[in-house]
Amino acid sequence: MANTETSLKEAASIDGAIGAALVDYTSGMALGTIGGGKELDLNVAAAANTDVVRAKVRAMELLGLNEDIEDILITLNTQYHLIRLLKGRGTNGLFLYMALDKSRANLAMARHQLKKIENELEV
C-alpha cells in the first residue's frame, strides 16, 4: 500500500503530467499536491474541482442514476484535467486530480495509471 506522497509521485511520473493533487471533496482542501506552479495553482484547482464533483454527484441524484463515478474528464485546448473519485478503504470523500499536457499525454494510459494508483493508495 502506498501513502499520499508516494501516490502523488507516481502520478507526477505519468507522461505529460503538469500536476496532481489528492483532494477531500467535503472541504475542497488538497491533502497533498505535486507539480503545478505558475502554470497551475493546485490548491485553487482542488477547491474549484470540488464544485465539479459536487455538481456531478447532484446531477446523478436528480436523474436517479444509481451508478458510481469512475472519473470525470475535462478537455481544454492544450490540457486534459482528470478527476478520479476514490473508492478504496479509507478514501471515501476523496479524489485524485490530475492535469496533463495534451501534446505529451496518452489519455487512456493516464486513466489506467490513475486507477492503479487508486488501488494502491492508503490514506
Side-chain angles (χ1 to χ4, degrees):
M1 299 312 271
N3 65 20
T4 300
E5 183 180 347
T6 302
S7 295
L8 289 173
K9 284 181 181 176
E10 281 185 50
S13 73
I14 295 173
D15 287 342
I18 296 169
L22 178 64
V23 184
D24 174 356
Y25 70 79
T26 57
S27 69
M29 300 295 292
L31 304 178
T33 63
I34 193 165
K38 289 181 186 177
E39 200 172 348
L40 178 68
D41 183 329
L42 288 167
N43 289 306
V44 171
N49 282 295
T50 295
D51 291 337
V52 172
V53 171
R54 289 177 183 158
K56 188 58 188 172
V57 168
R58 176 94 171 109
M60 289 178 59
E61 288 171 356
L62 290 171
L63 293 168
L65 298 175
N66 190 20
E67 298 276 342
D68 290 328
I69 299 171
E70 286 186 22
D71 53 38
I72 298 169
L73 170 64
I74 300 167
T75 305
L76 306 177
N77 291 337
T78 63
Q79 297 176 0
Y80 294 122
H81 290 229
L82 273 170
I83 301 167
R84 180 153 189 98
L85 278 68
L86 305 182
K87 296 169 190 68
R89 183 181 53 192
T91 61
N92 193 27
L94 302 179
F95 66 86
L96 278 169
Y97 167 74
M98 173 115 218
L100 299 156
D101 180 320
K102 209 172 176 181
S103 67
R104 298 180 309 139
N106 177 323
L107 182 57
M109 185 58 75
R111 290 184 69 225
H112 176 74
Q113 289 173 297
L114 278 181
K115 184 176 182 177
K116 180 180 176 278
I117 291 168
E118 173 191 6
N119 291 334
E120 296 173 357
L121 177 63
E122 187 170 301
V123 180

